[in-house]
Amino acid sequence: MTTIHHKQMLQEHMCMELSSSSTTHVQTFSTTKIMGGKWKEVVSRKSSSTVEFFSLVTRSSNIPAGESIPESTGKPHPTTAPEGDKAEFRAQVKGNPKPSISGKREGGIPIKESAKIFYDSINKELVLKLEPLTSDDSDSYKCIASNDHSDAIYIVSLLMTEGQDKMDFKNMLKKRGTPAPKKQQKKVTGEKQMLEILSKVPKKDFEKVCMEYGFIDFRGLLRKLKEMKKVEVETIQILKPLEDIETKMDTTVTFDCIMELKDPNVKKMWLKGTEPLKIQYSLGKYNVKQMGTKYMLVITNVNMNTAGTYTLSVGDKRMSAELTVLDEPLKFLGEMKPPKVTEHQTAVFEIRLSKKVPNFVWKFNGKELKRDEKYEITVSKDGQTHTFKIKDTRLSDKGKFSAEAGNLVQKAQLTIDRIPIKFVSTLKKVRVKERSHACLECELTTKDLTLCWKKDGQLLHYGTKYSMSHEGKRAELVIEDAQLSDSGEYTVVAMQDGDPTAYYSTAMFTVEERLAMKSGMSDVHAATGSPTELCVVLNDEKVEGLWLKDGEEITDLPAVQIVKQGAVHKLIFLNMGPDHESKYTSRAKGAEGEASAFIADPATTDLSMLEALAAHPVTVKVGHTANIKVPFRAKPLPKVTWYKDDVEVTEEEHVSMERGEDQALLTISNCVREDSGLVLLKLKNYYGSATATLPLSVLDRPKPPQGVEFLELSGNCVHVKWKALKDNGGRPVTQFLVERRAASKKSWIKIGEVDGKVTNFTNKVEEGKAYQFRILAVNSEGVSDPLETNEVFAGNPIEPPGLASQPQVSDVTKEAMTITWNAPTQDEGAPVLGYIVERRKKGSNLWVPVNEDPIQGTKCTVDGLLEDTEYEFRVIAVNKAGPGQLSMASTLVVAKDPIKPPGLVQGLCMSDSSNSSISLAWQEPVEGDPPSGYILEMRAEYTKEWSKCTKIPISGTCYTVGVLTERQKYFFPNRAVNEAGVGKPVELDEGVHAMLPPAAPKFDLSAQLKSHMVVRAGTALCIHAAFSSSPPPSVIWQKDGIPTKGRESITKGKNHSQFLINSTKRSDSGVYRILLQNEFGEAYYDIHVRMADFPHPLTNLQLFEEVPNTVTLTWNHSPDIQEDSAHYVIMKRDASTATWFTAAERVFSNKYTVTGLLPGRKYYFQVVARDEIGDSDPLDSKDTWLVNKDKIEDLSSKLKPYEKDLRHAPRFLTPLKPHKVLRGQDCTMTCAFLGNPRPTVTLYKGDVNITANSKFWYNSTSGVCTLIIPTCTLKDSGDYSVLVENERGKDRSTCTFTVYDKDDKSILASVTESLQKKSKHLRTKGVDMGVGWGYRGRDS
């Protein structure tokens, strides 16, 4: 039987994903053989089924000379083998280039790590070797031999048999004959070497090999060999293998697998091909990560050099996966728009490529451009979008800019408009006198321009009369010797290159007749109350003039007279006062003269005020503020200068100076005693100067005496004398205070006071003691600082006692301790009177005395202590001279009662267990003090040595012991421990076993078990169920409630079971149930299996036109389109492109009308039948279909006019709706409107009119407007609107158009949701996908 699996091969072989320009041939030859037989007393199953399958997938029909595809000269055969044996599949393959080998299992379970796949170059055979075999290895295996031209695929089945060897003793009995010569026994060094030899031979030959080497304990070696293999298997358990990855350039991929490692320190290494990856030298290219049992290799910035085979080596196991990198063709994604900017703005060019390239350049007029201050060149993070910015554009930047990537070139024109000229300041009206100088000026926004001046429309030229200047942005016209004829309208005209517009500014210029003055006025200065005058002489006696004060005419001003004597005009001030200070103007027939009058008073002070200040000087206390205020009179205001002790005073932080209209103020804040003295003020202006001297007194407490001497130092009397004070603080001293203190004291004692005029004092003292005296002066402001003397002795001196010994601590409780010490060795001339004991807490710097009075003796009990607090102590001896030296501190001691060892641990029991761990729990001891931890030990049943479970005591009352041998018996003694010692051990009455607690069967739903399966008829049906149970359950498979039998192959494991039908039929559909039972309960799980296949090819596609501008497709109905999930898919393709687009999905009839076709274009169509398995072969239209533009008629011209006036403003009946389209597809927008007369239609994208844009096609017929955007790009996204207007009004309809890419998941999700909502009315019949499974306990 020969079948063609087109869709399946596309999914299974990456090599089928080629471009449309290449051709793929798939040839598949499959043979199924049923082999039956009875195995002699070994096989427990009477029949089994095997599968043999071969496929050849070619990539290209053009094979170079001397090369060939992989060809099969010997096919592999199905194999049936018992558990523990080995299996080999061999196929002879030849080809050039040499084929590469890969393999996998058809059932979806990874091939075991111990399997070997290799190419035997000697025998030219493809070999798959499995050793040793287990029940899990039963499956169909796929071996693939690949080279550059094709893949040779071999699929064969491996069946496992169940049974046990039985020895036929009857046949073994033979007649005794001549004994054969004994073979020489082979020698081995020991049991370990023998186990290595047995691991390499089949199980059936174990006893024979043992006899050859002289080992009699065959069963013991077999048991140890099983344990050794079990440890090896469990050391590295692969839960999820590496998987092949296919990706694009410049992406990040991750290879991951899930493994359980008994030894986390086992060596792990990643390889590419056969070379190890140097992770630390890859500069971030490769990165290895681990998250729990998940191991990952992250590869960034994938390129063609990164592709290859990656392998993870863990111990002696290896996993491999293939990384394939797809290289897309380089092309521009859209056109580069030509920018249009104004001068000095920034122009931006942007272009996007299909992939990242290293040799992309920007050029201007053929010259390559580099990044500098003028040009900014940037690239997006993905390296595909290139942006080029031109800063501060000039006219010289106009031209064609091009973007070049290899052989691809795109060009765009840069258009630059000049900035319009503006006048910052325009020409102003100017009025001047005859024969004077005049200037017209203005300021513009730019300096690069051409100027010309006009008078009354006539062009002016440079000469002696007119001089034009243009500096920077300012322009001016100077008119020399202005005459009455120069009056008129003057205009300045500005022009710039590249701008035809002329910019101008106009102003009137007026020349007035001049009246001459023979002599003008000058400013006058006069003292207050004195007379003065202003005078001007004209050249015409008949002219009458007027006087103005500050611009206002003088009519009546007190003490002012206006006098005219011929041509002389006077303004006389009789008594100069403050009201007369101002600016005055004399005006007569256009002639003007200006002058000012000022008061001139010299600086003077008030003598009576100065005499009063001298009699009562300014007096303040220290720290207060002194204000010295002196009134004066001066006009103008004088310069003020202050002096102190002939030194000029300047403004500082505490000194400020102010000058008012009539006074000067000096402020001194925070006064000190040194501020006392004479303060001098100097006032000076242009007309004179004055001075004033003022006393300042700052009061303070007195200074201490200057020196001291002792007139007498006897055994009972001290006579002291001191010198006079340096400063009494501004107040007389009223008395002196005398104080003293002993040398060992800190406080001073007042011993007397004397009158301020007395400077000596006598005091009684004790002989042998040392004293220190001090003297303080007192006035009305306070007490001075003390004058202290040195220490002096009264008679012979006595020293304090020596050092006591370090204290010792005993009798410790939580509240008290006993301290003992030894007396000092020296008393320094006086007996010890007692001892002072001090204590200190740990971490504190404060020593606290224990006793108030000295302790008699060398022992002391200290109480009042805080429990659990550490203390230390020291001792000080005391004699007549005072306290002696401090002793050394004692050692730190904790205040607490003595601790007892803990008692027996209570309630020791096993709380939980597994195959590799045991959890124990217990309670604290009742007797003794509380424990600080527990010491838990363990011992296996067959060992005598005890070992601790933890290095340090356990802090809690529970612990889990791990890494135990399954079903091994263990003993666990437990002891409590604290600071006082270790308690007695407590042990369970009987040992405990490392095994799971008894439990009913339960399915592991997190594995690959599915509730519903759809399988293609003819392929394998494999159901793999994982479960947990203790003890292991019995497994029963049922179909539709009846136990299965016949063609299936069932394998069973400890925690899983597999159901396999190698070649399925349509009749295999049904509900399959797996039933688990043990002595504690049962559980079941239902799997709904439905058989399906690819739909048959469609026939007889017909195209015709039923509705104008559309095409109707019909074809013969397929019998496969009867199930709920089967339907038709309609595809269309523009004849100018090679890309197919979906026109309609989920079509259930054999007729469909395609709309939205562009007039003037040719289209191909194809129809595909689709179900869950895949698509049928496409049915293509043989000829193209053309929609003619001529068929579009304007039906409004055929309408007959109606006599009644029906004119009205246009309005939309059906507005535009939002659209979302995949990039590369066409979009059609429609709207309907009504209006009379017929409205005109204008299309907009944003604010840009696109009606005449050749990119868009639109038609407006009979009130229906259609806008078509062909082959949409991302730049076509935006707001589109239609404006309809006539003489009665207008209306606008707007919608949002979005173009999304395949990678835009958010847009794709919203589009899919909207399509699903629209298709709900098409089909309401659903499929019941409920899960049928249950659980029944032992008691149910």
Side-chain angles (χ1 to χ4, degrees):
M1 179 179 63
T2 302
T3 58
I4 299 177
H5 306 285
H6 180 68
K7 184 67 176 180
Q8 182 180 359
M9 292 305 173
L10 284 175
Q11 295 175 349
E12 293 183 354
H13 304 289
M14 179 181 61
C15 63
M16 300 299 293
E17 299 182 3
L18 304 175
S19 63
S20 59
S21 62
S22 63
T23 305
T24 302
H25 303 277
V26 180
Q27 300 176 356
T28 306
F29 310 94
S30 89
T31 304
T32 304
K33 297 182 179 179
I34 305 298
M35 301 174 64
K38 184 174 181 181
W39 297 86
K40 184 176 181 181
E41 295 184 0
V42 174
V43 182
S44 62
R45 192 176 303 233
K46 292 185 178 181
S47 63
S48 61
S49 60
T50 60
V51 176
E52 180 180 353
F53 193 86
F54 169 71
S55 300
L56 182 64
V57 181
T58 61
R59 295 188 178 87
S60 175
S61 59
N62 299 324
I63 299 177
E67 297 185 3
S68 64
I69 64 175
E71 297 180 1
S72 173
T73 59
K75 299 181 181 179
H77 300 285
T79 301
T80 301
E83 184 177 0
D85 205 345
K86 65 178 179 179
E88 286 188 359
F89 299 103
R90 290 179 173 268
Q92 292 184 354
V93 180
K94 63 180 181 178
N96 187 20
K98 178 183 176 181
S100 60
I101 310 303
S102 62
K104 60 182 179 179
R105 293 177 64 167
E106 283 287 289
I109 303 175
I111 295 181
K112 60 194 302 181
E113 293 297 326
S114 60
K116 298 180 181 179
I117 304 174
F118 58 91
Y119 181 75
D120 188 349
S121 59
I122 299 176
N123 299 321
K124 295 184 178 180
E125 289 181 334
L126 173 70
V127 181
L128 170 60
K129 186 175 182 180
L130 302 174
E131 181 184 11
L133 294 177
T134 63
S135 59
D136 296 338
D137 294 330
S138 178
D139 202 347
S140 295
Y141 289 81
K142 177 188 291 186
C143 298
I144 306 171
S146 304
N147 65 6
D148 296 341
H149 306 301
S150 66
D151 297 337
I153 306 172
Y154 303 89
I155 302 178
V156 291
S157 62
L158 171 62
L159 295 180
M160 302 298 301
T161 60
E162 298 177 354
Q164 60 184 5
D165 296 337
K166 296 182 179 180
M167 300 181 67
D168 190 352
F169 290 98
K170 183 177 181 180
N171 293 331
M172 293 175 61
L173 294 174
K174 296 181 180 180
K175 295 181 180 180
R176 183 179 303 274
T178 304
K182 293 185 178 180
K183 295 183 180 180
Q184 186 176 358
Q185 290 187 347
K186 300 178 182 179
K187 294 183 179 180
V188 293
T189 57
E191 185 179 276
K192 183 176 180 182
Q193 185 176 357
M194 189 65 212
L195 289 174
E196 293 179 359
I197 295 173
L198 290 178
S199 65
K200 299 177 182 179
V201 300
K203 183 179 179 181
K204 61 183 181 180
D205 298 332
F206 281 1
E207 187 172 3
K208 176 182 177 181
V209 174
C210 288
M211 296 300 293
E212 290 180 359
Y213 286 91
F215 275 80
I216 301 175
D217 188 8
F218 163 69
R219 297 298 178 183
L221 285 175
L222 183 60
R223 183 172 60 254
K224 293 182 179 180
L225 182 61
K226 287 184 178 180
E227 292 179 356
M228 184 177 69
K229 289 185 177 181
K230 182 176 180 181
V231 172
E232 291 178 356
V233 171
E234 293 183 349
T235 299
I236 302 173
Q237 185 176 0
I238 299 175
L239 304 181
K240 177 182 176 297
L242 297 177
E243 297 178 355
D244 295 343
I245 297 177
E246 180 180 299
T247 186
K248 297 180 180 180
M249 297 278 287
D250 300 319
T251 58
T252 298
V253 298
T254 302
F255 285 103
D256 62 335
C257 65
I258 300 177
M259 300 184 296
E260 287 187 356
L261 304 179
K262 293 299 181 181
D263 182 9
N265 298 321
V266 67
K267 184 178 180 181
K268 297 178 283 292
M269 181 171 59
W270 287 90
L271 303 92
K272 180 184 178 186
T274 58
E275 296 295 329
L277 289 179
K278 298 181 179 180
I279 306 298
Q280 62 273 27
Y281 302 112
S282 63
L283 300 178
K285 180 72 174 181
Y286 299 99
N287 188 14
V288 176
K289 297 182 179 180
Q290 179 183 353
M291 296 177 61
T293 59
K294 188 174 184 179
Y295 298 83
M296 296 172 285
L297 172 64
V298 181
I299 309 174
T300 59
N301 297 327
V302 172
N303 52 39
M304 298 305 296
N305 296 329
T306 316
T309 302
Y310 289 84
T311 304
L312 174 58
S313 175
V314 184
D316 58 347
K317 295 189 178 183
R318 288 196 173 195
M319 291 181 288
S320 299
E322 189 76 18
L323 174 61
T324 305
V325 181
L326 303 178
D327 190 10
E328 297 181 355
L330 177 63
K331 62 180 180 180
F332 288 109
L333 303 180
E335 298 181 357
M336 186 166 58
K337 293 184 178 181
K340 183 178 181 181
V341 298
T342 305
E343 189 179 9
H344 300 300
Q345 288 184 341
T346 299
V348 180
F349 291 90
E350 186 175 272
I351 191 69
R352 183 170 178 82
L353 298 172
S354 60
K355 65 178 182 179
K356 182 178 179 181
V357 294
N359 55 348
F360 184 90
V361 296
W362 292 94
K363 291 186 178 181
F364 175 54
N365 293 335
K367 183 180 179 181
E368 184 177 350
L369 301 176
K370 299 294 184 180
R371 181 173 181 176
D372 54 15
E373 295 180 356
K374 176 73 174 178
Y375 304 116
E376 180 180 338
I377 301 175
T378 58
V379 183
S380 62
K381 291 184 178 180
D382 60 3
Q384 294 179 241
T385 302
H386 297 260
T387 306
F388 177 66
K389 294 183 180 180
I390 308 171
K391 303 176 184 178
D392 190 23
T393 54
R394 304 297 177 91
L395 293 178
S396 58
D397 296 325
K398 293 173 63 175
K400 283 191 176 181
F401 288 80
S402 62
E404 299 184 7
N407 297 326
L408 297 180
V409 180
Q410 267 208 23
K411 297 183 179 181
Q413 182 74 27
L414 173 61
T415 304
I416 301 175
D417 296 334
R418 294 300 302 268
I419 300 176
I421 299 174
K422 294 183 180 180
F423 286 89
V424 179
S425 62
T426 58
L427 296 178
K428 303 294 189 297
K429 292 181 181 181
V430 177
R431 182 183 298 271
V432 299
K433 296 294 182 180
E434 190 179 7
R435 298 187 304 278
S436 64
H437 170 89
C439 179
L440 297 172
E441 61 181 1
C442 64
E443 183 177 356
L444 301 97
T445 56
T446 182
K447 59 183 179 179
D448 299 328
L449 45 78
T450 303
L451 297 175
C452 64
W453 292 85
K454 294 182 179 181
K455 176 188 179 237
D456 297 331
Q458 299 297 321
L459 186 63
L460 299 180
H461 299 282
Y462 187 86
T464 57
K465 183 70 175 178
Y466 302 104
S467 60
M468 301 87 165
S469 64
H470 178 202
E471 296 181 359
K473 298 180 181 180
R474 298 191 64 83
E476 64 179 11
L477 172 67
V478 178
I479 306 174
E480 302 290 347
D481 191 20
Q483 302 297 326
L484 296 176
S485 59
D486 293 331
S487 299
E489 183 180 68
Y490 285 77
T491 303
V492 59
V493 181
M495 301 284 290
Q496 61 179 346
D497 295 338
D499 188 356
T501 307
Y503 306 89
Y504 59 89
S505 177
T506 303
M508 293 300 299
F509 175 60
T510 305
V511 181
E512 297 179 348
E513 185 180 358
R514 177 183 291 277
L515 179 65
M517 288 185 178
K518 288 187 176 181
S519 63
M521 295 186 295
S522 59
D523 295 341
V524 296
H525 301 266
T528 302
S530 62
T532 187
E533 64 179 22
L534 294 171
C535 179
V536 62
V537 180
L538 302 178
N539 58 358
D540 190 349
E541 296 181 357
K542 298 179 180 180
V543 176
E544 294 292 335
L546 58 92
W547 291 88
L548 297 92
K549 178 184 179 184
D550 295 330
E552 296 183 1
E553 184 179 355
I554 299 175
T555 56
D556 183 15
L557 188 63
V560 176
Q561 295 180 354
I562 299 176
V563 178
K564 178 180 181 299
Q565 297 174 350
V568 179
H569 297 257
K570 293 183 178 181
L571 183 64
I572 302 174
F573 301 94
L574 302 177
N575 187 9
M576 191 67 180
D579 295 337
H580 297 144
E581 276 192 317
S582 187
K583 181 178 181 181
Y584 295 91
T585 304
S586 175
R587 182 178 298 169
K589 199 177 180 180
E592 290 185 357
E594 293 182 348
S596 298
F598 301 98
I599 294 177
D601 290 336
T604 58
T605 58
D606 189 349
L607 297 178
S608 60
M609 179 64 70
L610 294 179
E611 292 175 357
L613 289 174
H616 300 86
V618 177
T619 303
V620 295
K621 292 184 178 182
V622 170
H624 291 197
T625 300
N627 295 313
I628 304 175
K629 187 186 299 181
V630 179
F632 65 85
R633 186 175 65 182
K635 192 72 174 187
L637 291 178
K639 177 182 178 183
V640 177
T641 307
W642 294 88
Y643 294 89
K644 169 70 169 58
D645 298 332
D646 297 331
V647 178
E648 183 178 353
V649 179
T650 58
E651 287 200 2
E652 299 176 1
E653 183 177 355
H654 68 288
V655 178
S656 62
M657 295 176 286
E658 297 181 11
R659 184 190 69 179
E661 292 291 332
D662 57 355
Q663 66 178 9
L665 176 63
L666 174 65
T667 302
I668 305 174
S669 59
N670 295 325
C671 290
V672 296
R673 175 65 178 161
E674 288 73 14
D675 292 332
S676 300
L678 294 178
V679 179
L680 176 65
L681 171 65
K682 287 187 178 181
L683 304 171
K684 183 179 181 180
N685 66 3
Y686 184 76
Y687 304 104
S689 62
T691 60
T693 302
L694 305 170
L696 173 63
S697 177
V698 180
L699 303 179
D700 195 6
R701 57 195 181 94
K703 300 293 182 180
Q706 296 189 58
V708 65
E709 61 177 328
F710 291 94
L711 302 179
E712 181 181 353
L713 282 172
S714 62
N716 54 6
C717 178
V718 173
H719 188 189
V720 61
K721 182 179 181 182
W722 57 90
K723 297 180 181 180
L725 306 180
K726 184 177 181 181
D727 182 11
N728 62 1
R731 297 294 189 186
V733 176
T734 58
Q735 61 182 355
F736 289 98
L737 301 179
V738 182
E739 297 177 349
R740 82 174 186 192
R741 70 176 178 185
S744 61
K745 303 293 183 180
K746 294 183 179 180
S747 58
W748 293 88
I749 301 174
K750 181 180 177 181
I751 57 176
E753 58 183 37
V754 296
D755 188 77
K757 298 179 181 180
V758 178
T759 59
N760 60 80
F761 184 80
T762 301
N763 181 238
K764 293 182 180 181
V765 294
E766 295 181 16
E767 185 178 2
K769 283 192 175 184
Y771 296 94
Q772 188 178 6
F773 297 86
R774 68 179 185 181
I775 299 95
L776 301 93
V778 182
N779 65 2
S780 60
E781 299 300 322
V783 181
S784 70
D785 294 333
L787 172 63
E788 296 183 1
T789 69
N790 296 326
E791 290 186 359
V792 294
F793 287 93
N796 295 323
I798 299 174
E799 297 293 333
L803 184 69
S805 67
Q806 182 181 14
Q808 302 297 320
V809 182
S810 60
D811 299 335
V812 179
T813 65
K814 64 180 180 180
E815 296 179 352
M817 300 179 187
T818 300
I819 313 300
T820 58
W821 62 91
N822 295 326
T825 57
Q826 296 180 354
D827 58 5
E828 301 298 338
V832 175
L833 301 179
Y835 299 90
I836 298 174
V837 179
E838 296 180 338
R839 74 181 183 194
R840 181 175 68 175
K841 296 180 183 178
K842 181 181 179 180
S844 174
N845 294 325
L846 178 63
W847 288 91
V848 179
V850 174
N851 54 313
E852 295 182 358
D853 299 326
I855 297 173
Q856 305 298 323
T858 58
K859 184 176 181 180
C860 173
T861 298
V862 180
D863 55 7
L865 303 179
L866 299 177
E867 186 176 1
D868 294 331
T869 303
E870 292 187 74
Y871 291 93
E872 57 181 340
F873 302 88
R874 67 184 183 185
V875 179
I876 307 169
V878 181
N879 65 4
K880 185 177 180 181
Q885 301 179 25
L886 301 172
S887 71
M888 292 180 59
S890 67
T891 57
L892 287 169
V893 181
V894 181
K896 63 179 181 180
D897 293 334
I899 301 176
K900 300 178 181 179
L904 296 176
V905 174
Q906 301 295 314
L908 178 63
C909 63
M910 181 184 71
S911 60
D912 194 7
S913 66
S914 68
N915 291 334
S916 60
S917 65
I918 296 176
S919 298
L920 300 173
W922 60 87
Q923 298 176 358
E924 291 186 359
V926 178
E927 301 176 354
D929 285 333
S932 59
Y934 300 89
I935 299 176
L936 182 64
E937 296 178 320
M938 63 175 286
R939 178 180 66 84
E941 182 179 11
Y942 299 108
T943 60
K944 297 182 179 180
E945 296 182 357
W946 294 92
S947 61
K948 291 184 178 180
C949 296
T950 58
K951 294 183 179 179
I952 60 176
I954 301 170
S955 58
T957 58
C958 60
Y959 186 76
T960 298
V961 183
V963 195
L964 303 179
T965 304
E966 185 176 357
R967 297 188 177 274
Q968 177 69 51
K969 188 175 183 180
Y970 292 90
F971 299 92
F972 297 94
N974 192 8
R975 295 178 292 172
V977 63
N978 62 13
E979 294 181 7
V982 181
K984 295 182 180 181
V986 174
E987 189 175 349
L988 294 174
D989 296 338
E990 296 181 359
V992 292
H993 291 82
M995 57 181 292
L996 288 172
K1002 182 179 180 182
F1003 286 96
D1004 183 6
L1005 299 181
S1006 63
Q1008 300 179 358
L1009 190 60
K1010 300 179 181 178
S1011 61
H1012 287 75
M1013 297 179 64
V1014 178
V1015 181
R1016 181 188 168 192
T1019 61
L1021 168 62
C1022 182
I1023 304 175
H1024 186 84
F1027 49 81
S1028 61
S1029 177
S1030 180
S1034 62
V1035 181
I1036 301 174
W1037 286 90
Q1038 299 176 348
K1039 178 193 174 188
D1040 297 330
I1042 301 174
T1044 60
K1045 57 182 178 178
R1047 299 183 298 112
E1048 73 280 356
S1049 173
I1050 299 176
T1051 58
K1052 301 177 183 178
K1054 185 177 180 180
N1055 293 315
H1056 67 88
S1057 179
Q1058 179 176 288
F1059 181 89
L1060 174 65
I1061 300 178
N1062 290 282
S1063 181
T1064 57
K1065 302 177 181 179
R1066 290 270 188 176
S1067 60
D1068 290 329
S1069 297
V1071 178
Y1072 289 79
R1073 171 174 292 185
I1074 176 174
L1075 178 63
L1076 309 176
Q1077 296 177 335
N1078 69 3
E1079 57 186 2
F1080 296 99
E1082 66 180 31
Y1084 67 88
Y1085 192 90
D1086 290 344
I1087 303 97
H1088 298 259
V1089 178
R1090 184 165 65 86
M1091 297 297 163
D1093 204 345
F1094 287 109
H1096 292 84
L1098 303 178
T1099 58
N1100 194 22
L1101 176 61
Q1102 301 291 331
L1103 281 68
F1104 56 89
E1105 183 181 51
E1106 286 186 346
V1107 179
N1109 305 330
T1110 65
V1111 60
T1112 301
L1113 284 69
T1114 62
W1115 57 92
N1116 292 341
H1117 195 62
S1118 173
D1120 299 323
I1121 310 299
Q1122 295 179 359
E1123 300 180 355
D1124 296 334
S1125 59
H1127 58 273
Y1128 296 108
V1129 178
I1130 314 299
M1131 310 287 286
K1132 69 176 182 178
R1133 175 173 68 85
D1134 195 310
S1136 60
T1137 65
T1139 304
W1140 287 94
F1141 294 99
T1142 301
E1145 289 185 305
R1146 303 191 68 79
V1147 177
F1148 299 94
S1149 66
N1150 63 334
K1151 181 179 179 181
Y1152 186 79
T1153 300
V1154 181
T1155 60
L1157 303 178
L1158 298 181
R1161 294 197 179 185
K1162 296 180 180 180
Y1163 292 90
Y1164 286 99
F1165 298 91
Q1166 68 175 207
V1167 184
V1168 176
R1170 177 176 295 173
D1171 61 9
E1172 292 106 329
I1173 300 301
D1175 295 348
S1176 68
D1177 292 338
L1179 176 60
D1180 295 339
S1181 60
K1182 298 180 180 179
D1183 301 323
T1184 60
W1185 182 267
L1186 174 65
V1187 180
N1188 295 323
K1189 292 185 177 180
D1190 299 337
K1191 293 185 178 181
I1192 301 175
E1193 300 181 4
D1194 186 2
L1195 300 179
S1196 62
S1197 61
K1198 298 181 180 182
L1199 297 177
K1200 294 182 180 181
Y1202 188 64
E1203 296 181 357
K1204 186 178 180 180
D1205 185 8
L1206 299 177
R1207 293 180 296 173
H1208 60 85
R1211 61 186 176 86
F1212 281 94
L1213 301 177
T1214 303
L1216 293 175
K1217 296 181 180 179
H1219 287 71
K1220 296 178 181 179
V1221 176
L1222 181 65
R1223 180 168 63 90
Q1225 293 187 350
D1226 301 339
C1227 177
T1228 302
M1229 305 181 189
T1230 59
C1231 62
F1233 57 86
L1234 187 64
N1236 192 15
R1238 178 184 176 185
T1240 60
V1241 179
T1242 308
L1243 306 179
Y1244 291 91
K1245 179 186 179 186
D1247 297 330
V1248 180
N1249 188 334
I1250 61 173
T1251 308
N1253 194 327
S1254 60
K1255 176 177 175 55
F1256 307 96
W1257 184 90
Y1258 87 98
N1259 177 50
S1260 179
T1261 304
S1262 300
V1264 178
C1265 179
T1266 302
L1267 171 63
I1268 299 177
I1269 307 174
T1271 314
C1272 299
T1273 64
L1274 296 177
K1275 294 184 179 180
D1276 291 329
S1277 299
D1279 293 334
Y1280 288 80
S1281 59
V1282 177
L1283 176 66
V1284 292
E1285 56 184 340
N1286 61 11
E1287 61 186 19
R1288 292 302 183 95
K1290 59 183 178 180
D1291 195 6
R1292 181 188 290 263
S1293 177
T1294 304
C1295 74
T1296 300
F1297 175 52
T1298 304
V1299 180
Y1300 61 91
D1301 210 339
K1302 293 182 180 179
D1303 299 332
D1304 195 341
K1305 296 183 180 179
S1306 61
I1307 298 295
L1308 282 172
S1310 63
V1311 173
T1312 303
E1313 183 180 357
S1314 63
L1315 291 176
Q1316 290 175 350
K1317 291 181 179 178
K1318 291 180 180 179
S1319 63
K1320 279 184 178 179
H1321 70 281
L1322 295 178
R1323 302 185 65 200
T1324 59
K1325 185 179 179 181
V1327 179
D1328 184 9
M1329 301 297 287
V1331 179
W1333 66 281
Y1335 169 81
R1336 184 166 68 249
R1338 178 179 177 87
D1339 299 332
S1340 60

